[in-house]
Amino acid sequence: MSADITVSIEDAASVSDQTQGHPPIRLIFSALLLVMLLAALDQTIVSTALPTIVSDLGGLESLSWVVTAYLLASTIVVPLYGKFGDLFGRKIVLQTAIVLFLLGSVLCGVAQNMTQLVLLRALQGLGGGGLMVVTMAAIGDIIPPADRGRYQGMFGGVFGLATVVGPLIGGFLVEHLSWRWIFYINLPLGIVALLVIGTAFKPHIVRVKHEIDYMGAAFLASALTCIIMFTSQGGTILPWSSPQLWFTLALAILSITGFIYEERQAAEPIIPLALFRERTFVLSSLIGFIVGMALFGSVTFLPLYLQVVKNSTPSEAGMQLLPLMGGLLVTSIIGGQIISKIGRYRYFPIIGTFIACIGMFLLASIDNATPLHTMYLYMGLLGAGLGMVMQVLVLAVQNSVAYKHMGVATSGAMMFRSIGGSIGVAAFGALFTQGLHTRLATLIPAGTELPQTFGPATVHHLPAALREDYLQAFGGALSTVYIVAGCIIALAFALAWLFEDVQLKKK
């Protein structure tokens, strides 16, 4: 965030610190990696626990909000945390974010109903949003510029690892302890990181006076919240003819207009509007938005399908997501190495979105009799396609903008991916719930009493005929979700052709 202002001071301080052995870089770096792992895990660890949470707390219509609330809150605060770090020092801001995240984790673990859990997930997200951005910025305080690329690459590996192990850990904790432990597990890890950072992290940085764009942040928060409420409530909680629903959409449009006006006037806007004149930034943001929708949408609903329809345990459902996450991780690593050698990236998002589109439509074709090994193949294709796209978008943005805009352009592109994830989970959740209720109304005779919750255990204890109808409705509703998602990724495929074939910068 302030690297251009403080770089000479950081360089001198880093050399001094390394020669004197203070602070112990390996210890601090390990703590920062732990913080990054906490933030990344919390985006995926919840997915395998969702069916059990719904079974325990009820509120199937609010299921997607358990994920969405965290993503939304963390997305909104990302641009603010960077400037807070410059203003007050990254150490105190990072400690504050960790404490807020841990407080939210504890409260989520004791939530007694779905409404409480959703609100407390938002509180947790307010801390989680600072973990990633401040941790990445803190590297500049302790690592010399020549070595930063290598260390930041390790952060990318941690994020990839979290996408793989998150569902596994979540499934294990749900099956052998309780779904509440997916939140409690953050406590010991977070406390260790907090203690190490408190004692060993001594950043050398000049605090920079910033104008915080609070109005821009408020307009952005209002717009995102209203859009997600509109997409998640339309046709499920509220009918499409509801005046309240359309008032929410009008408020979203008004907030977007206010955000654009504020960004024109602000001394230091959250997203400089000049960036939207950069073709590569616009394309990367749009494709990142779509990829975010696809990734978080698929990760949220696949464990639900596996546990309800395939009768998998939470641990098994986590293991069964490995093809998706493994495909994403493998192509992300291999793609990065190939791009480094050839110095060009244009064809990777084209090929990646094409493969992801095929994978999504294949997932839409599954029915309740589809064998698991076939699903693994389809999930692997989807993951492989998404992995070829995700890191390339950030690389393209960094390669296209002026150095002074690199930080805000990178965070802006990542923010659009997070926004896509938030809206995607909400929209797909609403589409799934509406499709399920519509099919149940068609298949199940009127007056049939259904249980209040539809966790896997409840479904499998239904009478045989009723259970078959429910599973048929469930599979059909999920198939519709993946058809829509496939069409959306097809749009990303079309946009990817608009990238220019640009040589990567050497410096």
Side-chain angles (χ1 to χ4, degrees):
M1 304 292 175
S2 60
D4 52 335
I5 299 172
T6 62
V7 65
S8 61
I9 295 173
E10 290 172 3
D11 293 352
S14 297
V15 172
S16 173
D17 288 337
Q18 287 183 333
T19 57
Q20 298 173 14
H22 300 291
I25 289 179
R26 288 186 179 180
L27 181 61
I28 299 169
F29 186 71
S30 298
L32 293 177
L33 280 176
L34 188 56
V35 172
M36 177 64 78
L37 182 64
L38 280 173
L41 272 177
D42 228 69
Q43 295 183 355
T44 57
I45 196 172
V46 176
S47 59
T48 46
L50 286 177
T52 308
I53 292 173
V54 170
S55 179
D56 189 15
L57 300 181
L60 178 64
E61 68 281 353
S62 302
L63 177 143
S64 61
W65 274 97
V66 178
V67 178
T68 302
Y70 181 89
L71 289 175
L72 176 62
S74 60
T75 300
I76 291 167
V77 297
V78 160
L80 296 179
Y81 267 109
K83 291 187 177 180
F84 284 147
D86 288 344
L87 269 175
F88 306 113
R90 275 187 267 279
K91 179 176 180 177
I92 186 64
V93 172
L94 182 56
Q95 288 173 317
T96 303
I98 294 172
V99 169
L100 194 57
F101 177 80
L102 294 181
L103 176 63
S105 297
V106 173
L107 294 176
C108 283
V110 298
Q112 298 301 305
N113 56 59
M114 190 64 84
T115 301
Q116 287 181 13
L117 182 60
V118 168
L119 292 175
L120 294 170
R121 280 283 284 169
L123 173 64
Q124 191 186 24
L126 293 178
L131 299 185
M132 286 193 182
V133 66
V134 183
T135 298
M136 291 296 287
I139 289 299
D141 295 340
I142 60 173
I143 305 297
D147 296 330
R148 284 179 197 160
R150 178 164 56 93
Y151 281 93
Q152 288 177 343
M154 292 174 68
F155 278 118
V158 166
F159 191 85
L161 176 67
T163 63
V164 175
V165 303
L168 298 179
I169 296 173
F172 177 84
L173 292 174
V174 168
E175 188 172 345
H176 296 283
L177 294 171
S178 160
W179 64 263
R180 299 181 186 276
W181 276 94
I182 64 174
F183 301 112
Y184 294 150
I185 195 176
N186 292 329
L187 278 179
L189 301 177
I191 289 171
V192 170
L194 201 59
L195 290 174
V196 174
I197 290 169
T199 55
F201 184 27
K202 298 178 175 61
H204 296 270
I205 190 163
V206 174
R207 295 182 185 179
V208 181
K209 181 64 177 177
H210 278 296
E211 294 290 334
I212 305 295
D213 186 13
Y214 290 110
M215 283 300 295
F219 278 125
L220 179 63
S222 174
L224 291 178
T225 303
C226 290
I227 290 170
I228 290 173
M229 288 181 66
F230 177 82
T231 54
S232 61
Q233 292 180 342
T236 53
I237 298 174
L238 296 173
W240 289 111
S241 58
S242 168
Q244 179 183 336
L245 189 66
W246 293 101
F247 175 77
T248 303
L249 180 61
L251 189 58
I253 295 171
L254 187 64
S255 298
I256 292 171
T257 305
F259 177 73
I260 294 171
Y261 175 80
E262 175 60 26
E263 297 307 274
R264 288 181 180 274
Q265 306 299 318
E268 294 188 43
I270 289 176
I271 305 178
L273 296 183
L275 287 175
F276 291 96
R277 291 194 287 270
E278 294 280 351
R279 175 177 178 173
T280 302
F281 176 80
V282 172
L283 286 172
S284 296
S285 297
L286 286 173
I287 295 172
F289 177 87
I290 292 170
V291 166
M293 291 183 71
L295 176 62
F296 287 105
S298 61
V299 169
T300 300
F301 292 102
L302 274 174
L304 194 63
Y305 174 86
L306 291 167
Q307 291 180 59
V308 172
V309 176
K310 297 299 184 182
N311 203 19
S312 300
T313 65
S315 295
E316 290 171 345
M319 289 290 292
Q320 288 159 354
L321 286 182
L322 276 178
L324 173 68
M325 300 307 184
L328 189 151
L329 188 58
V330 168
T331 56
S332 179
I333 293 171
I334 294 175
Q337 292 176 340
I338 294 173
I339 290 170
S340 296
K341 288 183 178 179
I342 66 176
R344 296 181 184 276
Y345 60 82
R346 178 175 183 254
Y347 290 104
F348 282 84
I350 294 173
I351 297 171
T353 49
F354 179 72
I355 294 174
C357 187
I358 292 174
M360 197 68 83
F361 279 122
L362 286 173
L363 283 172
S365 71
I366 63 176
D367 56 35
N368 294 354
T370 302
L372 280 172
H373 63 81
T374 304
M375 286 191 64
Y376 296 156
L377 174 63
Y378 298 167
M379 284 190 276
L381 274 176
L382 176 61
L386 293 177
M388 294 180 70
V389 181
M390 291 177 67
Q391 71 166 2
V392 175
L393 298 179
V394 175
L395 178 66
V397 166
Q398 292 177 337
N399 190 62
S400 66
V401 300
Y403 180 78
K404 65 178 181 179
H405 285 148
M406 187 174 294
V408 71
T410 302
S411 62
M414 293 178 69
M415 185 177 74
F416 276 104
R417 189 172 72 193
S418 295
I419 292 171
S422 303
I423 293 176
V425 172
F428 289 154
L431 183 64
F432 171 77
T433 304
Q434 184 178 10
L436 178 62
H437 289 324
T438 302
R439 286 172 173 80
L440 286 175
T442 304
L443 292 171
I444 296 177
T448 303
E449 288 192 16
L450 294 173
Q452 294 299 309
T453 62
F454 275 113
T458 307
V459 171
H460 293 293
H461 283 92
L462 291 172
L466 192 59
R467 181 173 66 250
E468 288 305 313
D469 287 340
Y470 180 82
L471 294 179
Q472 183 181 339
F474 193 101
L478 192 64
S479 180
T480 302
V481 167
Y482 285 117
I483 289 173
V484 174
C487 293
I488 293 172
I489 294 185
L491 176 60
F493 172 68
L495 290 172
W497 284 96
L498 300 177
F499 274 118
E500 296 175 322
D501 193 16
V502 180
Q503 184 75 28
L504 289 175
K505 296 175 183 176
K506 298 296 183 183
K507 295 183 180 180

